[in-house]
Amino acid sequence: MLGRDRIEYKTVEQVRAMRRAGLVVADALDAVRAAAVPGATTGDLDEVAREVIAAAGATPSFLGYHGYPAVLCVSVNDEVVHGIPGSRVLAQGDVVSVDCGAVVDGWHGDSAFSTVVGEATDPADLELVETTEAAMWAGIAALATGGRLSAVGEAVEEVVDLAVAAGKNGGERYGIVEEYVGHGIGSAMHQPPEVLNYRARDRGPRLKAGMCLAIEPMLTRGSRHTQVLEDDWTVVTSDGSRAAHWEHTVAILPEGIWVLTARDGGAEALAARGVSVDALD
Ligand code: MF3
Ligand code: CO
């Protein structure tokens, strides 16, 4: 058995197996992105993901997780994460965050994106989505160069600070959510270690080949504080400000990193940040 705080180090073969799960998640999220148009319900998006995962012969990992009732988490506007899909109709200008997980042969993939439905009604919503994505890629890049896990939170916070200094969000601070964090992933969806999205004194474990980590910053246009709604799942911002969430599952390999939930392993986004990936194939 895996101890409570033991990191599960994967062989390259196991990472290859995880990649199969990761690519199913990538396919599901691509299909969901195309379906996230004004007039669609969040339940429609869940159905799309359910079909892609089933057609791939994979298993959705969220469904039934601690009683969770759906395949996706779909979080709209002030919802940060863990929104339950249903009859809610998406409208032009909504900020929607979609999180998906799948299992293949016992190995997990976990990924999320945010987007603005149709045309943005406030350009700052687009900036929120873009800054959160940039924060995620900076966190991922830090796995290649960082030495210690705390490099991820430092990189995320740096990107967020620089975005605000450059005038994003009207120059107002973004909130970096602290109650929910990234995590180790592998033969279970959530494993040690926790991956903080902010600077911390504890430098965390040394980054080593075989670690697989879900990097998932959550930003808000206001407060970093959150509440859980009566449904016991939906996490909203305490001040009603809009939020975004991006996530990828990343492997640290002997020669570098590989993003398991991105079709190109993250090559393009990471090249722009001076990091080359260690191709699995
Ligand atoms: N995918 C989420 C995460 O990134 C967890 C979803 S919880 C569930 O860690 F209950 F919806 F499955
Ligand atoms: Co996750």
Side-chain angles (χ1 to χ4, degrees):
M1 276 303 284
L2 192 70
R4 258 173 73 85
D5 41 38
R6 278 272 292 285
I7 294 171
E8 180 185 71
Y9 293 92
K10 286 78 171 173
T11 65
V12 173
E13 270 324 297
Q14 289 171 329
V15 172
R16 281 186 214 281
M18 284 183 68
R19 186 189 191 197
R20 295 205 299 275
L23 293 181
V24 172
V25 173
D27 285 344
L29 288 181
D30 279 352
V32 167
R33 191 188 262 282
V37 295
T41 68
T42 56
D44 292 339
L45 304 187
D46 199 65
E47 193 52 42
V48 166
R50 190 182 298 256
E51 282 168 13
V52 172
I53 292 169
T59 306
S61 49
F62 297 0
L63 188 65
Y65 180 82
H66 293 282
Y68 187 73
V71 170
L72 297 178
C73 297
V74 183
S75 308
V76 183
N77 294 338
D78 65 323
E79 297 172 356
V80 184
V81 287
H82 303 169
I84 301 173
S87 56
R88 181 171 186 160
V89 178
L90 295 176
Q92 168 115 316
D94 280 346
V95 174
V96 60
S97 302
V98 180
D99 193 343
C100 182
V103 195
V104 174
D105 294 335
W107 295 98
H108 286 251
D110 188 5
S111 181
F113 72 92
S114 294
T115 191
V116 176
V117 176
E119 295 275 312
T121 46
D122 182 344
D125 289 334
L126 224 48
E127 291 173 355
L128 169 73
V129 167
E130 288 168 0
T131 303
T132 311
E133 183 181 13
M136 173 193 68
W137 284 113
I140 292 170
L143 294 177
T145 53
R148 293 268 183 180
L149 190 61
S150 59
V152 173
E154 286 161 13
V156 167
E157 207 168 322
E158 185 184 12
V159 163
V160 174
D161 289 348
L162 287 174
V164 173
K168 306 285 183 193
N169 203 35
E172 295 292 319
R173 291 176 60 113
Y174 287 111
I176 301 179
V177 172
E178 296 186 2
E179 289 98 343
Y180 304 89
V181 295
H183 48 93
I185 179 168
S187 62
M189 174 163 59
H190 290 142
Q191 297 183 328
E194 289 193 337
V195 185
L196 309 186
N197 293 307
Y198 51 91
R199 295 186 185 102
R201 204 162 297 162
D202 182 355
R203 298 181 63 216
R206 195 174 292 283
L207 296 168
K208 280 198 259 182
M211 282 182 168
C212 292
L213 301 162
I215 304 300
E216 52 175 321
M218 288 143 261
L219 301 186
T220 82
R221 286 185 53 194
S223 172
R224 66 179 162 82
H225 297 289
T226 63
Q227 283 160 230
V228 179
L229 296 186
E230 302 261 278
D231 63 13
D232 281 341
W233 283 104
T234 312
V235 176
V236 296
T237 58
S238 58
D239 63 353
S241 64
R242 290 183 165 196
H245 173 217
W246 278 83
E247 175 175 21
H248 271 307
T249 297
V250 186
I252 304 179
L253 293 161
E255 306 291 333
I257 63 171
W258 185 259
V259 180
L260 300 172
T261 42
R263 221 160 266 106
D264 72 345
E268 193 182 323
L270 290 168
R273 289 163 176 83
V275 170
S276 50
V277 294
D278 178 14
L280 263 176
D281 43 17

PDB file of all heavy atoms in Angstrom, residues 23-58:
ATOM      1  N   LEU A  23      -4.714  11.452 -22.835  1.00  0.00           N
ATOM      2  CA  LEU A  23      -5.186  11.814 -24.179  1.00  0.00           C
ATOM      3  C   LEU A  23      -6.695  11.615 -24.322  1.00  0.00           C
ATOM      4  O   LEU A  23      -7.338  12.330 -25.099  1.00  0.00           O
ATOM      5  CB  LEU A  23      -4.415  11.030 -25.245  1.00  0.00           C
ATOM      6  CG  LEU A  23      -2.930  11.418 -25.339  1.00  0.00           C
ATOM      7  CD1 LEU A  23      -2.219  10.615 -26.424  1.00  0.00           C
ATOM      8  CD2 LEU A  23      -2.748  12.920 -25.577  1.00  0.00           C
ATOM      9  N   VAL A  24      -7.256  10.682 -23.573  1.00  0.00           N
ATOM     10  CA  VAL A  24      -8.726  10.567 -23.558  1.00  0.00           C
ATOM     11  C   VAL A  24      -9.327  11.834 -22.952  1.00  0.00           C
ATOM     12  O   VAL A  24     -10.307  12.390 -23.476  1.00  0.00           O
ATOM     13  CB  VAL A  24      -9.178   9.316 -22.763  1.00  0.00           C
ATOM     14  CG1 VAL A  24     -10.692   9.310 -22.585  1.00  0.00           C
ATOM     15  CG2 VAL A  24      -8.708   8.036 -23.445  1.00  0.00           C
ATOM     16  N   VAL A  25      -8.728  12.314 -21.883  1.00  0.00           N
ATOM     17  CA  VAL A  25      -9.211  13.556 -21.254  1.00  0.00           C
ATOM     18  C   VAL A  25      -9.073  14.726 -22.238  1.00  0.00           C
ATOM     19  O   VAL A  25      -9.990  15.551 -22.369  1.00  0.00           O
ATOM     20  CB  VAL A  25      -8.443  13.840 -19.945  1.00  0.00           C
ATOM     21  CG1 VAL A  25      -8.812  15.209 -19.387  1.00  0.00           C
ATOM     22  CG2 VAL A  25      -8.725  12.748 -18.914  1.00  0.00           C
ATOM     23  N   ALA A  26      -7.944  14.779 -22.962  1.00  0.00           N
ATOM     24  CA  ALA A  26      -7.746  15.856 -23.946  1.00  0.00           C
ATOM     25  C   ALA A  26      -8.828  15.801 -25.021  1.00  0.00           C
ATOM     26  O   ALA A  26      -9.394  16.844 -25.398  1.00  0.00           O
ATOM     27  CB  ALA A  26      -6.363  15.733 -24.579  1.00  0.00           C
ATOM     28  N   ASP A  27      -9.144  14.608 -25.500  1.00  0.00           N
ATOM     29  CA  ASP A  27     -10.196  14.466 -26.523  1.00  0.00           C
ATOM     30  C   ASP A  27     -11.545  14.924 -25.965  1.00  0.00           C
ATOM     31  O   ASP A  27     -12.309  15.608 -26.651  1.00  0.00           O
ATOM     32  CB  ASP A  27     -10.314  13.001 -26.964  1.00  0.00           C
ATOM     33  CG  ASP A  27      -9.164  12.582 -27.872  1.00  0.00           C
ATOM     34  OD1 ASP A  27      -8.458  13.470 -28.397  1.00  0.00           O
ATOM     35  OD2 ASP A  27      -8.975  11.359 -28.056  1.00  0.00           O
ATOM     36  N   ALA A  28     -11.842  14.509 -24.742  1.00  0.00           N
ATOM     37  CA  ALA A  28     -13.128  14.884 -24.132  1.00  0.00           C
ATOM     38  C   ALA A  28     -13.215  16.403 -23.993  1.00  0.00           C
ATOM     39  O   ALA A  28     -14.240  17.008 -24.337  1.00  0.00           O
ATOM     40  CB  ALA A  28     -13.288  14.199 -22.771  1.00  0.00           C
ATOM     41  N   LEU A  29     -12.142  17.024 -23.527  1.00  0.00           N
ATOM     42  CA  LEU A  29     -12.190  18.481 -23.317  1.00  0.00           C
ATOM     43  C   LEU A  29     -12.256  19.231 -24.649  1.00  0.00           C
ATOM     44  O   LEU A  29     -12.915  20.271 -24.737  1.00  0.00           O
ATOM     45  CB  LEU A  29     -10.996  18.944 -22.478  1.00  0.00           C
ATOM     46  CG  LEU A  29     -11.065  18.549 -21.005  1.00  0.00           C
ATOM     47  CD1 LEU A  29      -9.847  19.077 -20.246  1.00  0.00           C
ATOM     48  CD2 LEU A  29     -12.349  19.041 -20.327  1.00  0.00           C
ATOM     49  N   ASP A  30     -11.612  18.721 -25.700  1.00  0.00           N
ATOM     50  CA  ASP A  30     -11.733  19.355 -27.021  1.00  0.00           C
ATOM     51  C   ASP A  30     -13.187  19.338 -27.474  1.00  0.00           C
ATOM     52  O   ASP A  30     -13.701  20.333 -27.997  1.00  0.00           O
ATOM     53  CB  ASP A  30     -10.868  18.622 -28.055  1.00  0.00           C
ATOM     54  CG  ASP A  30      -9.410  19.042 -27.992  1.00  0.00           C
ATOM     55  OD1 ASP A  30      -9.095  20.004 -27.257  1.00  0.00           O
ATOM     56  OD2 ASP A  30      -8.587  18.402 -28.674  1.00  0.00           O
ATOM     57  N   ALA A  31     -13.838  18.198 -27.305  1.00  0.00           N
ATOM     58  CA  ALA A  31     -15.240  18.083 -27.729  1.00  0.00           C
ATOM     59  C   ALA A  31     -16.131  19.001 -26.896  1.00  0.00           C
ATOM     60  O   ALA A  31     -17.051  19.647 -27.413  1.00  0.00           O
ATOM     61  CB  ALA A  31     -15.701  16.626 -27.615  1.00  0.00           C
ATOM     62  N   VAL A  32     -15.846  19.091 -25.611  1.00  0.00           N
ATOM     63  CA  VAL A  32     -16.635  19.956 -24.730  1.00  0.00           C
ATOM     64  C   VAL A  32     -16.429  21.423 -25.108  1.00  0.00           C
ATOM     65  O   VAL A  32     -17.377  22.213 -25.133  1.00  0.00           O
ATOM     66  CB  VAL A  32     -16.244  19.725 -23.254  1.00  0.00           C
ATOM     67  CG1 VAL A  32     -16.811  20.815 -22.357  1.00  0.00           C
ATOM     68  CG2 VAL A  32     -16.726  18.352 -22.790  1.00  0.00           C
ATOM     69  N   ARG A  33     -15.202  21.786 -25.437  1.00  0.00           N
ATOM     70  CA  ARG A  33     -14.921  23.179 -25.817  1.00  0.00           C
ATOM     71  C   ARG A  33     -15.773  23.585 -27.034  1.00  0.00           C
ATOM     72  O   ARG A  33     -16.343  24.666 -27.074  1.00  0.00           O
ATOM     73  CB  ARG A  33     -13.435  23.345 -26.129  1.00  0.00           C
ATOM     74  CG  ARG A  33     -13.002  24.769 -26.263  1.00  0.00           C
ATOM     75  CD  ARG A  33     -11.567  24.813 -26.770  1.00  0.00           C
ATOM     76  NE  ARG A  33     -10.574  24.997 -25.730  1.00  0.00           N
ATOM     77  CZ  ARG A  33     -10.299  26.178 -25.151  1.00  0.00           C
ATOM     78  NH1 ARG A  33     -10.977  27.253 -25.483  1.00  0.00           N
ATOM     79  NH2 ARG A  33      -9.358  26.263 -24.241  1.00  0.00           N
ATOM     80  N   ALA A  34     -15.854  22.668 -27.997  1.00  0.00           N
ATOM     81  CA  ALA A  34     -16.630  22.956 -29.213  1.00  0.00           C
ATOM     82  C   ALA A  34     -18.123  23.073 -28.892  1.00  0.00           C
ATOM     83  O   ALA A  34     -18.858  23.779 -29.586  1.00  0.00           O
ATOM     84  CB  ALA A  34     -16.387  21.866 -30.247  1.00  0.00           C
ATOM     85  N   ALA A  35     -18.557  22.376 -27.841  1.00  0.00           N
ATOM     86  CA  ALA A  35     -19.986  22.367 -27.483  1.00  0.00           C
ATOM     87  C   ALA A  35     -20.364  23.500 -26.530  1.00  0.00           C
ATOM     88  O   ALA A  35     -21.551  23.708 -26.257  1.00  0.00           O
ATOM     89  CB  ALA A  35     -20.333  21.021 -26.852  1.00  0.00           C
ATOM     90  N   ALA A  36     -19.379  24.237 -26.040  1.00  0.00           N
ATOM     91  CA  ALA A  36     -19.655  25.280 -25.026  1.00  0.00           C
ATOM     92  C   ALA A  36     -20.064  26.590 -25.704  1.00  0.00           C
ATOM     93  O   ALA A  36     -19.333  27.563 -25.710  1.00  0.00           O
ATOM     94  CB  ALA A  36     -18.433  25.481 -24.138  1.00  0.00           C
ATOM     95  N   VAL A  37     -21.261  26.579 -26.282  1.00  0.00           N
ATOM     96  CA  VAL A  37     -21.783  27.738 -27.021  1.00  0.00           C
ATOM     97  C   VAL A  37     -23.011  28.283 -26.284  1.00  0.00           C
ATOM     98  O   VAL A  37     -23.636  27.570 -25.481  1.00  0.00           O
ATOM     99  CB  VAL A  37     -22.166  27.335 -28.459  1.00  0.00           C
ATOM    100  CG1 VAL A  37     -20.920  26.921 -29.248  1.00  0.00           C
ATOM    101  CG2 VAL A  37     -23.207  26.225 -28.458  1.00  0.00           C
ATOM    102  N   PRO A  38     -23.368  29.546 -26.548  1.00  0.00           N
ATOM    103  CA  PRO A  38     -24.568  30.090 -25.900  1.00  0.00           C
ATOM    104  C   PRO A  38     -25.776  29.201 -26.187  1.00  0.00           C
ATOM    105  O   PRO A  38     -25.976  28.762 -27.320  1.00  0.00           O
ATOM    106  CB  PRO A  38     -24.734  31.472 -26.560  1.00  0.00           C
ATOM    107  CG  PRO A  38     -23.371  31.845 -27.046  1.00  0.00           C
ATOM    108  CD  PRO A  38     -22.714  30.538 -27.433  1.00  0.00           C
ATOM    109  N   GLY A  39     -26.576  28.904 -25.163  1.00  0.00           N
ATOM    110  CA  GLY A  39     -27.767  28.072 -25.320  1.00  0.00           C
ATOM    111  C   GLY A  39     -27.548  26.629 -24.895  1.00  0.00           C
ATOM    112  O   GLY A  39     -28.505  25.911 -24.597  1.00  0.00           O
ATOM    113  N   ALA A  40     -26.295  26.168 -24.873  1.00  0.00           N
ATOM    114  CA  ALA A  40     -26.022  24.815 -24.389  1.00  0.00           C
ATOM    115  C   ALA A  40     -26.197  24.796 -22.868  1.00  0.00           C
ATOM    116  O   ALA A  40     -25.955  25.806 -22.202  1.00  0.00           O
ATOM    117  CB  ALA A  40     -24.603  24.392 -24.747  1.00  0.00           C
ATOM    118  N   THR A  41     -26.606  23.662 -22.330  1.00  0.00           N
ATOM    119  CA  THR A  41     -26.645  23.534 -20.871  1.00  0.00           C
ATOM    120  C   THR A  41     -25.354  22.895 -20.390  1.00  0.00           C
ATOM    121  O   THR A  41     -24.646  22.218 -21.151  1.00  0.00           O
ATOM    122  CB  THR A  41     -27.826  22.663 -20.391  1.00  0.00           C
ATOM    123  OG1 THR A  41     -27.589  21.308 -20.797  1.00  0.00           O
ATOM    124  CG2 THR A  41     -29.157  23.150 -20.960  1.00  0.00           C
ATOM    125  N   THR A  42     -25.061  23.105 -19.114  1.00  0.00           N
ATOM    126  CA  THR A  42     -23.862  22.473 -18.552  1.00  0.00           C
ATOM    127  C   THR A  42     -24.014  20.951 -18.585  1.00  0.00           C
ATOM    128  O   THR A  42     -23.030  20.226 -18.743  1.00  0.00           O
ATOM    129  CB  THR A  42     -23.607  22.974 -17.122  1.00  0.00           C
ATOM    130  OG1 THR A  42     -24.785  22.740 -16.329  1.00  0.00           O
ATOM    131  CG2 THR A  42     -23.283  24.464 -17.116  1.00  0.00           C
ATOM    132  N   GLY A  43     -25.268  20.475 -18.495  1.00  0.00           N
ATOM    133  CA  GLY A  43     -25.540  19.038 -18.614  1.00  0.00           C
ATOM    134  C   GLY A  43     -25.229  18.507 -20.011  1.00  0.00           C
ATOM    135  O   GLY A  43     -24.784  17.368 -20.160  1.00  0.00           O
ATOM    136  N   ASP A  44     -25.458  19.344 -21.035  1.00  0.00           N
ATOM    137  CA  ASP A  44     -25.094  18.943 -22.405  1.00  0.00           C
ATOM    138  C   ASP A  44     -23.594  18.664 -22.479  1.00  0.00           C
ATOM    139  O   ASP A  44     -23.154  17.706 -23.125  1.00  0.00           O
ATOM    140  CB  ASP A  44     -25.417  20.055 -23.423  1.00  0.00           C
ATOM    141  CG  ASP A  44     -26.915  20.301 -23.600  1.00  0.00           C
ATOM    142  OD1 ASP A  44     -27.705  19.392 -23.278  1.00  0.00           O
ATOM    143  OD2 ASP A  44     -27.277  21.413 -24.054  1.00  0.00           O
ATOM    144  N   LEU A  45     -22.800  19.514 -21.843  1.00  0.00           N
ATOM    145  CA  LEU A  45     -21.341  19.339 -21.878  1.00  0.00           C
ATOM    146  C   LEU A  45     -20.953  18.026 -21.196  1.00  0.00           C
ATOM    147  O   LEU A  45     -20.065  17.298 -21.667  1.00  0.00           O
ATOM    148  CB  LEU A  45     -20.636  20.514 -21.191  1.00  0.00           C
ATOM    149  CG  LEU A  45     -20.948  21.924 -21.721  1.00  0.00           C
ATOM    150  CD1 LEU A  45     -20.034  22.950 -21.056  1.00  0.00           C
ATOM    151  CD2 LEU A  45     -20.831  21.994 -23.231  1.00  0.00           C
ATOM    152  N   ASP A  46     -21.633  17.723 -20.107  1.00  0.00           N
ATOM    153  CA  ASP A  46     -21.361  16.477 -19.384  1.00  0.00           C
ATOM    154  C   ASP A  46     -21.620  15.267 -20.288  1.00  0.00           C
ATOM    155  O   ASP A  46     -20.832  14.310 -20.300  1.00  0.00           O
ATOM    156  CB  ASP A  46     -22.241  16.407 -18.129  1.00  0.00           C
ATOM    157  CG  ASP A  46     -21.709  15.414 -17.120  1.00  0.00           C
ATOM    158  OD1 ASP A  46     -20.605  15.654 -16.587  1.00  0.00           O
ATOM    159  OD2 ASP A  46     -22.379  14.395 -16.874  1.00  0.00           O
ATOM    160  N   GLU A  47     -22.722  15.358 -21.053  1.00  0.00           N
ATOM    161  CA  GLU A  47     -23.094  14.267 -21.962  1.00  0.00           C
ATOM    162  C   GLU A  47     -22.018  14.072 -23.038  1.00  0.00           C
ATOM    163  O   GLU A  47     -21.658  12.941 -23.368  1.00  0.00           O
ATOM    164  CB  GLU A  47     -24.463  14.598 -22.596  1.00  0.00           C
ATOM    165  CG  GLU A  47     -25.131  13.450 -23.300  1.00  0.00           C
ATOM    166  CD  GLU A  47     -25.242  12.198 -22.441  1.00  0.00           C
ATOM    167  OE1 GLU A  47     -25.576  12.289 -21.239  1.00  0.00           O
ATOM    168  OE2 GLU A  47     -24.963  11.115 -22.991  1.00  0.00           O
ATOM    169  N   VAL A  48     -21.506  15.179 -23.564  1.00  0.00           N
ATOM    170  CA  VAL A  48     -20.459  15.122 -24.590  1.00  0.00           C
ATOM    171  C   VAL A  48     -19.227  14.391 -24.042  1.00  0.00           C
ATOM    172  O   VAL A  48     -18.670  13.488 -24.683  1.00  0.00           O
ATOM    173  CB  VAL A  48     -20.084  16.553 -25.059  1.00  0.00           C
ATOM    174  CG1 VAL A  48     -18.781  16.560 -25.849  1.00  0.00           C
ATOM    175  CG2 VAL A  48     -21.213  17.156 -25.893  1.00  0.00           C
ATOM    176  N   ALA A  49     -18.794  14.763 -22.853  1.00  0.00           N
ATOM    177  CA  ALA A  49     -17.607  14.136 -22.250  1.00  0.00           C
ATOM    178  C   ALA A  49     -17.862  12.664 -21.958  1.00  0.00           C
ATOM    179  O   ALA A  49     -16.987  11.806 -22.200  1.00  0.00           O
ATOM    180  CB  ALA A  49     -17.219  14.872 -20.974  1.00  0.00           C
ATOM    181  N   ARG A  50     -19.052  12.372 -21.459  1.00  0.00           N
ATOM    182  CA  ARG A  50     -19.415  10.984 -21.140  1.00  0.00           C
ATOM    183  C   ARG A  50     -19.273  10.096 -22.378  1.00  0.00           C
ATOM    184  O   ARG A  50     -18.734   8.992 -22.315  1.00  0.00           O
ATOM    185  CB  ARG A  50     -20.869  10.974 -20.643  1.00  0.00           C
ATOM    186  CG  ARG A  50     -21.367   9.676 -20.047  1.00  0.00           C
ATOM    187  CD  ARG A  50     -22.836   9.812 -19.645  1.00  0.00           C
ATOM    188  NE  ARG A  50     -23.036  10.842 -18.626  1.00  0.00           N
ATOM    189  CZ  ARG A  50     -23.252  10.585 -17.327  1.00  0.00           C
ATOM    190  NH1 ARG A  50     -23.316   9.348 -16.897  1.00  0.00           N
ATOM    191  NH2 ARG A  50     -23.408  11.569 -16.473  1.00  0.00           N
ATOM    192  N   GLU A  51     -19.748  10.614 -23.534  1.00  0.00           N
ATOM    193  CA  GLU A  51     -19.713   9.829 -24.776  1.00  0.00           C
ATOM    194  C   GLU A  51     -18.276   9.635 -25.268  1.00  0.00           C
ATOM    195  O   GLU A  51     -17.916   8.533 -25.688  1.00  0.00           O
ATOM    196  CB  GLU A  51     -20.565  10.512 -25.860  1.00  0.00           C
ATOM    197  CG  GLU A  51     -22.044  10.250 -25.644  1.00  0.00           C
ATOM    198  CD  GLU A  51     -22.957  11.121 -26.504  1.00  0.00           C
ATOM    199  OE1 GLU A  51     -22.452  11.761 -27.456  1.00  0.00           O
ATOM    200  OE2 GLU A  51     -24.165  11.159 -26.199  1.00  0.00           O
ATOM    201  N   VAL A  52     -17.457  10.680 -25.209  1.00  0.00           N
ATOM    202  CA  VAL A  52     -16.071  10.560 -25.689  1.00  0.00           C
ATOM    203  C   VAL A  52     -15.303   9.543 -24.830  1.00  0.00           C
ATOM    204  O   VAL A  52     -14.577   8.688 -25.349  1.00  0.00           O
ATOM    205  CB  VAL A  52     -15.355  11.927 -25.678  1.00  0.00           C
ATOM    206  CG1 VAL A  52     -13.866  11.775 -25.980  1.00  0.00           C
ATOM    207  CG2 VAL A  52     -16.014  12.887 -26.672  1.00  0.00           C
ATOM    208  N   ILE A  53     -15.490   9.617 -23.527  1.00  0.00           N
ATOM    209  CA  ILE A  53     -14.769   8.719 -22.612  1.00  0.00           C
ATOM    210  C   ILE A  53     -15.224   7.274 -22.819  1.00  0.00           C
ATOM    211  O   ILE A  53     -14.402   6.354 -22.892  1.00  0.00           O
ATOM    212  CB  ILE A  53     -14.957   9.184 -21.148  1.00  0.00           C
ATOM    213  CG1 ILE A  53     -14.241  10.525 -20.934  1.00  0.00           C
ATOM    214  CG2 ILE A  53     -14.437   8.129 -20.173  1.00  0.00           C
ATOM    215  CD1 ILE A  53     -14.566  11.210 -19.618  1.00  0.00           C
ATOM    216  N   ALA A  54     -16.538   7.092 -22.975  1.00  0.00           N
ATOM    217  CA  ALA A  54     -17.069   5.736 -23.190  1.00  0.00           C
ATOM    218  C   ALA A  54     -16.574   5.176 -24.521  1.00  0.00           C
ATOM    219  O   ALA A  54     -16.156   4.008 -24.594  1.00  0.00           O
ATOM    220  CB  ALA A  54     -18.597   5.760 -23.151  1.00  0.00           C
ATOM    221  N   ALA A  55     -16.582   6.008 -25.581  1.00  0.00           N
ATOM    222  CA  ALA A  55     -16.156   5.541 -26.911  1.00  0.00           C
ATOM    223  C   ALA A  55     -14.689   5.117 -26.893  1.00  0.00           C
ATOM    224  O   ALA A  55     -14.278   4.249 -27.669  1.00  0.00           O
ATOM    225  CB  ALA A  55     -16.384   6.639 -27.949  1.00  0.00           C
ATOM    226  N   ALA A  56     -13.900   5.721 -26.003  1.00  0.00           N
ATOM    227  CA  ALA A  56     -12.477   5.377 -25.900  1.00  0.00           C
ATOM    228  C   ALA A  56     -12.265   4.136 -25.026  1.00  0.00           C
ATOM    229  O   ALA A  56     -11.130   3.687 -24.852  1.00  0.00           O
ATOM    230  CB  ALA A  56     -11.704   6.563 -25.328  1.00  0.00           C
ATOM    231  N   GLY A  57     -13.347   3.611 -24.441  1.00  0.00           N
ATOM    232  CA  GLY A  57     -13.225   2.451 -23.558  1.00  0.00           C
ATOM    233  C   GLY A  57     -12.612   2.800 -22.213  1.00  0.00           C
ATOM    234  O   GLY A  57     -12.114   1.939 -21.501  1.00  0.00           O
ATOM    235  N   ALA A  58     -12.652   4.098 -21.866  1.00  0.00           N
ATOM    236  CA  ALA A  58     -12.100   4.556 -20.590  1.00  0.00           C
ATOM    237  C   ALA A  58     -13.220   4.746 -19.570  1.00  0.00           C
ATOM    238  O   ALA A  58     -14.405   4.614 -19.897  1.00  0.00           O
ATOM    239  CB  ALA A  58     -11.339   5.863 -20.798  1.00  0.00           C
TER     240      ALA A  58
END
